[in-house]
């Protein structure tokens, strides 16, 4: 077993970079591909108010790290699902994004123009099947005949299908309600769905409100839902040294974040809609502290990625089994 995995635990997929999933409106060719010899621009989603990239933006440490290899960051876009981010990379509108292996597989099933180059272990604590306090749903078996909100082809649908399969429950005995994650909280809290298969980015606020809890978390489900960082293929081919420098920054910063989670929350403001306060801040701090770090992708990770791809094909989320291994970079071999 690779030594990296011996020290790894878990982390919520979106807590590390929080908002590095994005749909972009920018277009055209970046300085990165101009071949002009000028400073290379790395187009990265705006990191929002939390996570290692937010700190890197605020204190300039990311630009400093990338400056050593002749690069600088262009912060662009806003938070959103991985699928639009993948499309933006495919269209040469973005160079880097973060997503889960589950949403990654559905994006790879298209015509991908990106590769994954880091892995963070599946989140045992911060993702799962969320129900409102007082709900009569006390186990996965109680979901039969119920409505569960999921994001189609992504983490939510995977968590629900995985939980049902583990419990031996046919998927068609539970009604999947396909919703965008950022539109689901209101529907969930209004009681229009009975449960919500979700990850930490959205679960923290619900659990922090004191009005919801997981009926089954990632550990109980047996989730293989890794968080991954992706880079545009053309960028990686032309600038492997920048990809390696970016990995180094993310790894080192994630180690610091795990040791001092509070320093990576409310980076720009501690008030307003982007701030995490009260009980929610305690919940998120706990998830990060129990989490892991950004590491290279190693063989045991790939085996688990392939298990997710096989599961998605079996569950007919994808038409065929996606060859994940063909879209991975070994960061330790980049020069």
């Amino acid at each position: 077993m690779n030594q990296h995995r011996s020290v790894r635990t878990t982390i919520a997929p979106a807590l590390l970079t929080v908002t590095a999933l994005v749909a972009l409106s920018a277009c055209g060719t970046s300085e990165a591909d101009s071949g002009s010899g000028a400073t290379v621009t790395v187009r990265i989603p705006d990191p929002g108010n939390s996570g290692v990239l937010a700190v890197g933006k605020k204190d300039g440490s990311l630009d400093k790290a990338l400056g050593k290899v002749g690069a600088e960051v262009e912060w662009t876009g806003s938070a959103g699902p991985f699928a639009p981010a993948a499309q933006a990379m495919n269209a040469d509108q973005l160079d880097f994004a973060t997503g889960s292996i589950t949403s990654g597989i559905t994006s790879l099933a298209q015509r991908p123009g990106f590769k994954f180059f880091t892995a963070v272990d599946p989140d045992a604590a911060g993702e799962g099947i969320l129900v409102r306090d007082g709900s009569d749903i006390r186990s996965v078996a109680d979901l039969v005949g119920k409505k569960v909100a999921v994001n189609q082809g992504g983490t939510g649908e995977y968590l629900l299908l995985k939980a049902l399969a583990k419990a031996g429950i046919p998927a068609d005995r539970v009604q999947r309600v396909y919703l965008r994650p950022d539109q689901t909280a209101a529907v969930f809290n209004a009681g229009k769905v009975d449960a919500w298969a979700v990850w930490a980015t959205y679960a923290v606020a619900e659990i922090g409100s004191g009005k919801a809890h997981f009926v089954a978390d990632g550990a109980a489900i047996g989730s293989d839902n890794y968080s991954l960082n992706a880079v545009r293929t053309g960028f990686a081919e032309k600038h492997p040294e920048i990809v390696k420098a970016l990995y180094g920054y993310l790894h080192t910063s994630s180690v610091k974040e795990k040791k001092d989670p509070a320093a990576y929350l409310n980076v720009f403001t501690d008030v307003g809609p982007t701030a995490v306060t009260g009980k929610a801040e305690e919940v998120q701090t706990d998830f990060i502290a129990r989490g892991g770090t950004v590491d290279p992708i190693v063989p045991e990770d790939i085996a688990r990625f392939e298990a997710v791809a096989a599961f998605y094909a079996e569950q007919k989320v994808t038409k065929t089994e996606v060859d994940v291994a063909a879209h991975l970079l070994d960061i330790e071999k980049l020069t």
Side-chain angles (χ1 to χ4, degrees), residues 214-249:
F214 284 134
V215 69
D217 61 15
I221 292 169
S223 172
D224 278 327
N225 188 37
Y226 281 77
S227 175
L228 308 174
N229 284 307
V231 62
R232 184 170 59 83
T233 303
F235 186 93
E237 290 173 347
K238 293 187 177 183
H239 305 290
E241 74 287 352
I242 296 175
V243 179
K244 194 161 188 174
L246 180 56
Y247 160 74
Y249 182 85

mmCIF file of all heavy atoms in Angstrom, residues 214-249:
data_model
loop_
_atom_site.group_PDB
_atom_site.id
_atom_site.type_symbol
_atom_site.label_atom_id
_atom_site.label_comp_id
_atom_site.label_asym_id
_atom_site.label_seq_id
_atom_site.Cartn_x
_atom_site.Cartn_y
_atom_site.Cartn_z
ATOM 1 N N PHE A 214 -28.630 12.938 9.787
ATOM 2 C CA PHE A 214 -28.439 11.842 8.845
ATOM 3 C C PHE A 214 -29.071 10.567 9.397
ATOM 4 O O PHE A 214 -28.799 10.174 10.526
ATOM 5 C CB PHE A 214 -26.954 11.568 8.609
ATOM 6 C CG PHE A 214 -26.266 12.563 7.717
ATOM 7 C CD1 PHE A 214 -25.029 13.094 8.071
ATOM 8 C CD2 PHE A 214 -26.831 12.951 6.505
ATOM 9 C CE1 PHE A 214 -24.373 13.992 7.239
ATOM 10 C CE2 PHE A 214 -26.189 13.855 5.675
ATOM 11 C CZ PHE A 214 -24.960 14.383 6.046
ATOM 12 N N VAL A 215 -29.882 9.908 8.580
ATOM 13 C CA VAL A 215 -30.380 8.588 8.946
ATOM 14 C C VAL A 215 -29.320 7.549 8.592
ATOM 15 O O VAL A 215 -29.286 6.450 9.161
ATOM 16 C CB VAL A 215 -31.731 8.299 8.259
ATOM 17 C CG1 VAL A 215 -31.563 8.114 6.748
ATOM 18 C CG2 VAL A 215 -32.418 7.099 8.877
ATOM 19 N N ALA A 216 -28.454 7.904 7.668
ATOM 20 C CA ALA A 216 -27.284 7.069 7.307
ATOM 21 C C ALA A 216 -26.236 8.006 6.741
ATOM 22 O O ALA A 216 -26.519 8.783 5.823
ATOM 23 C CB ALA A 216 -27.664 6.005 6.287
ATOM 24 N N ASP A 217 -25.020 7.962 7.304
ATOM 25 C CA ASP A 217 -23.949 8.817 6.789
ATOM 26 C C ASP A 217 -23.063 8.036 5.824
ATOM 27 O O ASP A 217 -23.331 6.866 5.515
ATOM 28 C CB ASP A 217 -23.133 9.426 7.938
ATOM 29 C CG ASP A 217 -22.451 8.373 8.818
ATOM 30 O OD1 ASP A 217 -22.353 7.196 8.404
ATOM 31 O OD2 ASP A 217 -22.015 8.739 9.930
ATOM 32 N N GLY A 218 -22.008 8.681 5.342
ATOM 33 C CA GLY A 218 -21.146 8.045 4.357
ATOM 34 C C GLY A 218 -20.557 6.738 4.834
ATOM 35 O O GLY A 218 -20.426 5.784 4.063
ATOM 36 N N ALA A 219 -20.211 6.692 6.118
ATOM 37 C CA ALA A 219 -19.632 5.466 6.671
ATOM 38 C C ALA A 219 -20.646 4.330 6.652
ATOM 39 O O ALA A 219 -20.322 3.197 6.278
ATOM 40 C CB ALA A 219 -19.144 5.717 8.092
ATOM 41 N N ALA A 220 -21.870 4.620 7.069
ATOM 42 C CA ALA A 220 -22.916 3.594 7.109
ATOM 43 C C ALA A 220 -23.271 3.107 5.711
ATOM 44 O O ALA A 220 -23.581 1.924 5.505
ATOM 45 C CB ALA A 220 -24.154 4.144 7.805
ATOM 46 N N ILE A 221 -23.211 4.024 4.751
ATOM 47 C CA ILE A 221 -23.556 3.685 3.376
ATOM 48 C C ILE A 221 -22.442 2.892 2.702
ATOM 49 O O ILE A 221 -22.679 2.110 1.783
ATOM 50 C CB ILE A 221 -23.866 4.977 2.588
ATOM 51 C CG1 ILE A 221 -25.171 5.601 3.113
ATOM 52 C CG2 ILE A 221 -23.956 4.719 1.093
ATOM 53 C CD1 ILE A 221 -25.429 6.994 2.591
ATOM 54 N N GLY A 222 -21.216 3.074 3.168
ATOM 55 C CA GLY A 222 -20.075 2.459 2.505
ATOM 56 C C GLY A 222 -19.692 3.231 1.261
ATOM 57 O O GLY A 222 -19.309 2.663 0.234
ATOM 58 N N SER A 223 -19.745 4.563 1.347
ATOM 59 C CA SER A 223 -19.513 5.420 0.199
ATOM 60 C C SER A 223 -18.078 5.360 -0.306
ATOM 61 O O SER A 223 -17.122 5.369 0.472
ATOM 62 C CB SER A 223 -19.849 6.872 0.574
ATOM 63 O OG SER A 223 -19.458 7.761 -0.446
ATOM 64 N N ASP A 224 -17.934 5.329 -1.621
ATOM 65 C CA ASP A 224 -16.637 5.450 -2.280
ATOM 66 C C ASP A 224 -16.556 6.794 -3.009
ATOM 67 O O ASP A 224 -15.864 6.930 -4.015
ATOM 68 C CB ASP A 224 -16.443 4.318 -3.298
ATOM 69 C CG ASP A 224 -15.959 3.031 -2.641
ATOM 70 O OD1 ASP A 224 -15.209 3.109 -1.647
ATOM 71 O OD2 ASP A 224 -16.339 1.947 -3.123
ATOM 72 N N ASN A 225 -17.250 7.772 -2.493
ATOM 73 C CA ASN A 225 -17.374 9.056 -3.171
ATOM 74 C C ASN A 225 -16.200 9.986 -2.849
ATOM 75 O O ASN A 225 -16.292 10.877 -2.026
ATOM 76 C CB ASN A 225 -18.699 9.726 -2.782
ATOM 77 C CG ASN A 225 -18.973 10.968 -3.594
ATOM 78 O OD1 ASN A 225 -18.667 11.025 -4.772
ATOM 79 N ND2 ASN A 225 -19.546 11.968 -2.945
ATOM 80 N N TYR A 226 -15.097 9.776 -3.534
ATOM 81 C CA TYR A 226 -13.913 10.612 -3.368
ATOM 82 C C TYR A 226 -14.167 12.045 -3.853
ATOM 83 O O TYR A 226 -14.984 12.277 -4.742
ATOM 84 C CB TYR A 226 -12.772 10.065 -4.214
ATOM 85 C CG TYR A 226 -12.035 8.888 -3.675
ATOM 86 C CD1 TYR A 226 -12.593 7.605 -3.737
ATOM 87 C CD2 TYR A 226 -10.760 9.019 -3.136
ATOM 88 C CE1 TYR A 226 -11.892 6.498 -3.275
ATOM 89 C CE2 TYR A 226 -10.046 7.919 -2.677
ATOM 90 C CZ TYR A 226 -10.628 6.670 -2.745
ATOM 91 O OH TYR A 226 -9.927 5.576 -2.290
ATOM 92 N N SER A 227 -13.417 12.993 -3.299
ATOM 93 C CA SER A 227 -13.326 14.333 -3.868
ATOM 94 C C SER A 227 -12.058 14.391 -4.701
ATOM 95 O O SER A 227 -11.007 13.906 -4.274
ATOM 96 C CB SER A 227 -13.263 15.386 -2.754
ATOM 97 O OG SER A 227 -13.058 16.672 -3.304
ATOM 98 N N LEU A 228 -12.157 14.972 -5.887
ATOM 99 C CA LEU A 228 -11.038 14.998 -6.820
ATOM 100 C C LEU A 228 -10.806 16.409 -7.349
ATOM 101 O O LEU A 228 -11.740 17.206 -7.432
ATOM 102 C CB LEU A 228 -11.313 14.072 -8.000
ATOM 103 C CG LEU A 228 -11.724 12.629 -7.697
ATOM 104 C CD1 LEU A 228 -12.104 11.915 -8.982
ATOM 105 C CD2 LEU A 228 -10.598 11.896 -6.991
ATOM 106 N N ASN A 229 -9.577 16.694 -7.714
ATOM 107 C CA ASN A 229 -9.276 17.926 -8.428
ATOM 108 C C ASN A 229 -9.006 17.574 -9.883
ATOM 109 O O ASN A 229 -8.298 16.600 -10.181
ATOM 110 C CB ASN A 229 -8.067 18.628 -7.816
ATOM 111 C CG ASN A 229 -8.423 19.319 -6.515
ATOM 112 O OD1 ASN A 229 -9.369 20.112 -6.466
ATOM 113 N ND2 ASN A 229 -7.690 19.030 -5.461
ATOM 114 N N ALA A 230 -9.572 18.377 -10.762
ATOM 115 C CA ALA A 230 -9.437 18.137 -12.199
ATOM 116 C C ALA A 230 -8.700 19.292 -12.860
ATOM 117 O O ALA A 230 -8.794 20.444 -12.424
ATOM 118 C CB ALA A 230 -10.820 17.985 -12.832
ATOM 119 N N VAL A 231 -7.977 18.970 -13.925
ATOM 120 C CA VAL A 231 -7.267 19.982 -14.700
ATOM 121 C C VAL A 231 -7.581 19.770 -16.176
ATOM 122 O O VAL A 231 -7.748 18.628 -16.627
ATOM 123 C CB VAL A 231 -5.741 19.918 -14.450
ATOM 124 C CG1 VAL A 231 -5.167 18.572 -14.884
ATOM 125 C CG2 VAL A 231 -5.021 21.067 -15.147
ATOM 126 N N ARG A 232 -7.705 20.867 -16.905
ATOM 127 C CA ARG A 232 -7.949 20.769 -18.343
ATOM 128 C C ARG A 232 -6.791 20.021 -19.002
ATOM 129 O O ARG A 232 -5.624 20.312 -18.745
ATOM 130 C CB ARG A 232 -8.107 22.172 -18.936
ATOM 131 C CG ARG A 232 -8.463 22.208 -20.411
ATOM 132 C CD ARG A 232 -8.849 23.616 -20.857
ATOM 133 N NE ARG A 232 -7.752 24.555 -20.620
ATOM 134 C CZ ARG A 232 -6.722 24.744 -21.439
ATOM 135 N NH1 ARG A 232 -6.636 24.022 -22.560
ATOM 136 N NH2 ARG A 232 -5.796 25.635 -21.165
ATOM 137 N N THR A 233 -7.117 19.051 -19.849
ATOM 138 C CA THR A 233 -6.097 18.186 -20.438
ATOM 139 C C THR A 233 -5.035 18.972 -21.197
ATOM 140 O O THR A 233 -3.831 18.735 -21.033
ATOM 141 C CB THR A 233 -6.751 17.159 -21.377
ATOM 142 O OG1 THR A 233 -7.721 16.407 -20.645
ATOM 143 C CG2 THR A 233 -5.716 16.207 -21.949
ATOM 144 N N GLY A 234 -5.450 19.928 -22.011
ATOM 145 C CA GLY A 234 -4.504 20.718 -22.781
ATOM 146 C C GLY A 234 -3.553 21.509 -21.898
ATOM 147 O O GLY A 234 -2.361 21.651 -22.211
ATOM 148 N N PHE A 235 -4.076 22.001 -20.783
ATOM 149 C CA PHE A 235 -3.234 22.759 -19.844
ATOM 150 C C PHE A 235 -2.200 21.834 -19.208
ATOM 151 O O PHE A 235 -1.020 22.175 -19.106
ATOM 152 C CB PHE A 235 -4.103 23.398 -18.765
ATOM 153 C CG PHE A 235 -3.344 24.316 -17.844
ATOM 154 C CD1 PHE A 235 -3.278 25.674 -18.103
ATOM 155 C CD2 PHE A 235 -2.690 23.823 -16.723
ATOM 156 C CE1 PHE A 235 -2.561 26.526 -17.266
ATOM 157 C CE2 PHE A 235 -1.974 24.654 -15.883
ATOM 158 C CZ PHE A 235 -1.910 26.021 -16.162
ATOM 159 N N ALA A 236 -2.637 20.659 -18.775
ATOM 160 C CA ALA A 236 -1.727 19.715 -18.126
ATOM 161 C C ALA A 236 -0.615 19.265 -19.075
ATOM 162 O O ALA A 236 0.531 19.081 -18.659
ATOM 163 C CB ALA A 236 -2.502 18.500 -17.624
ATOM 164 N N GLU A 237 -0.956 19.101 -20.340
ATOM 165 C CA GLU A 237 0.041 18.664 -21.314
ATOM 166 C C GLU A 237 1.106 19.733 -21.554
ATOM 167 O O GLU A 237 2.288 19.421 -21.730
ATOM 168 C CB GLU A 237 -0.654 18.310 -22.634
ATOM 169 C CG GLU A 237 -1.491 17.037 -22.553
ATOM 170 C CD GLU A 237 -2.305 16.785 -23.804
ATOM 171 O OE1 GLU A 237 -2.427 17.721 -24.643
ATOM 172 O OE2 GLU A 237 -2.836 15.662 -23.956
ATOM 173 N N LYS A 238 0.700 21.002 -21.538
ATOM 174 C CA LYS A 238 1.642 22.086 -21.816
ATOM 175 C C LYS A 238 2.369 22.579 -20.564
ATOM 176 O O LYS A 238 3.480 23.116 -20.659
ATOM 177 C CB LYS A 238 0.906 23.260 -22.475
ATOM 178 C CG LYS A 238 0.398 22.933 -23.870
ATOM 179 C CD LYS A 238 -0.175 24.161 -24.554
ATOM 180 C CE LYS A 238 -0.615 23.820 -25.975
ATOM 181 N NZ LYS A 238 -1.108 25.011 -26.711
ATOM 182 N N HIS A 239 1.747 22.417 -19.410
ATOM 183 C CA HIS A 239 2.311 23.004 -18.192
ATOM 184 C C HIS A 239 2.278 22.024 -17.009
ATOM 185 O O HIS A 239 1.703 22.317 -15.959
ATOM 186 C CB HIS A 239 1.546 24.273 -17.820
ATOM 187 C CG HIS A 239 1.494 25.285 -18.915
ATOM 188 N ND1 HIS A 239 2.594 26.003 -19.323
ATOM 189 C CD2 HIS A 239 0.472 25.685 -19.712
ATOM 190 C CE1 HIS A 239 2.253 26.813 -20.315
ATOM 191 N NE2 HIS A 239 0.970 26.639 -20.566
ATOM 192 N N PRO A 240 2.902 20.868 -17.139
ATOM 193 C CA PRO A 240 2.875 19.899 -16.039
ATOM 194 C C PRO A 240 3.510 20.447 -14.757
ATOM 195 O O PRO A 240 3.098 20.074 -13.660
ATOM 196 C CB PRO A 240 3.670 18.710 -16.597
ATOM 197 C CG PRO A 240 4.531 19.295 -17.682
ATOM 198 C CD PRO A 240 3.686 20.377 -18.296
ATOM 199 N N GLU A 241 4.508 21.332 -14.907
ATOM 200 C CA GLU A 241 5.161 21.880 -13.720
ATOM 201 C C GLU A 241 4.210 22.759 -12.907
ATOM 202 O O GLU A 241 4.296 22.824 -11.675
ATOM 203 C CB GLU A 241 6.417 22.680 -14.134
ATOM 204 C CG GLU A 241 6.170 24.025 -14.776
ATOM 205 C CD GLU A 241 5.645 23.970 -16.211
ATOM 206 O OE1 GLU A 241 5.596 22.860 -16.795
ATOM 207 O OE2 GLU A 241 5.301 25.032 -16.757
ATOM 208 N N ILE A 242 3.262 23.394 -13.587
ATOM 209 C CA ILE A 242 2.283 24.225 -12.882
ATOM 210 C C ILE A 242 1.265 23.339 -12.166
ATOM 211 O O ILE A 242 0.867 23.614 -11.029
ATOM 212 C CB ILE A 242 1.580 25.185 -13.861
ATOM 213 C CG1 ILE A 242 2.603 26.161 -14.451
ATOM 214 C CG2 ILE A 242 0.455 25.946 -13.160
ATOM 215 C CD1 ILE A 242 2.036 27.089 -15.516
ATOM 216 N N VAL A 243 0.852 22.264 -12.817
ATOM 217 C CA VAL A 243 -0.069 21.322 -12.178
ATOM 218 C C VAL A 243 0.569 20.739 -10.919
ATOM 219 O O VAL A 243 -0.080 20.623 -9.868
ATOM 220 C CB VAL A 243 -0.468 20.191 -13.152
ATOM 221 C CG1 VAL A 243 -1.410 19.201 -12.465
ATOM 222 C CG2 VAL A 243 -1.124 20.765 -14.399
ATOM 223 N N LYS A 244 1.847 20.407 -11.012
ATOM 224 C CA LYS A 244 2.546 19.849 -9.861
ATOM 225 C C LYS A 244 2.671 20.874 -8.740
ATOM 226 O O LYS A 244 2.514 20.546 -7.555
ATOM 227 C CB LYS A 244 3.934 19.359 -10.275
ATOM 228 C CG LYS A 244 4.598 18.471 -9.228
ATOM 229 C CD LYS A 244 5.719 17.653 -9.818
ATOM 230 C CE LYS A 244 6.249 16.628 -8.813
ATOM 231 N NZ LYS A 244 7.259 15.734 -9.429
ATOM 232 N N ALA A 245 2.915 22.133 -9.094
ATOM 233 C CA ALA A 245 3.001 23.190 -8.086
ATOM 234 C C ALA A 245 1.647 23.421 -7.424
ATOM 235 O O ALA A 245 1.566 23.650 -6.206
ATOM 236 C CB ALA A 245 3.503 24.481 -8.724
ATOM 237 N N LEU A 246 0.594 23.347 -8.214
ATOM 238 C CA LEU A 246 -0.746 23.513 -7.665
ATOM 239 C C LEU A 246 -1.065 22.379 -6.700
ATOM 240 O O LEU A 246 -1.611 22.599 -5.609
ATOM 241 C CB LEU A 246 -1.778 23.553 -8.799
ATOM 242 C CG LEU A 246 -3.242 23.729 -8.397
ATOM 243 C CD1 LEU A 246 -3.441 24.987 -7.568
ATOM 244 C CD2 LEU A 246 -4.130 23.768 -9.642
ATOM 245 N N TYR A 247 -0.695 21.157 -7.096
ATOM 246 C CA TYR A 247 -0.877 20.024 -6.186
ATOM 247 C C TYR A 247 -0.129 20.262 -4.875
ATOM 248 O O TYR A 247 -0.675 20.054 -3.791
ATOM 249 C CB TYR A 247 -0.380 18.712 -6.804
ATOM 250 C CG TYR A 247 -0.111 17.684 -5.730
ATOM 251 C CD1 TYR A 247 -1.170 17.050 -5.075
ATOM 252 C CD2 TYR A 247 1.190 17.433 -5.287
ATOM 253 C CE1 TYR A 247 -0.930 16.171 -4.029
ATOM 254 C CE2 TYR A 247 1.434 16.555 -4.251
ATOM 255 C CZ TYR A 247 0.372 15.931 -3.621
ATOM 256 O OH TYR A 247 0.609 15.077 -2.569
ATOM 257 N N GLY A 248 1.117 20.683 -4.962
ATOM 258 C CA GLY A 248 1.913 20.911 -3.758
ATOM 259 C C GLY A 248 1.261 21.906 -2.827
ATOM 260 O O GLY A 248 1.235 21.711 -1.602
ATOM 261 N N TYR A 249 0.720 22.974 -3.412
ATOM 262 C CA TYR A 249 0.045 23.983 -2.592
ATOM 263 C C TYR A 249 -1.197 23.399 -1.924
ATOM 264 O O TYR A 249 -1.433 23.593 -0.725
ATOM 265 C CB TYR A 249 -0.348 25.186 -3.448
ATOM 266 C CG TYR A 249 -1.013 26.275 -2.644
ATOM 267 C CD1 TYR A 249 -0.263 27.231 -1.969
ATOM 268 C CD2 TYR A 249 -2.405 26.318 -2.521
ATOM 269 C CE1 TYR A 249 -0.871 28.214 -1.204
ATOM 270 C CE2 TYR A 249 -3.019 27.294 -1.762
ATOM 271 C CZ TYR A 249 -2.253 28.239 -1.098
ATOM 272 O OH TYR A 249 -2.869 29.197 -0.326
#
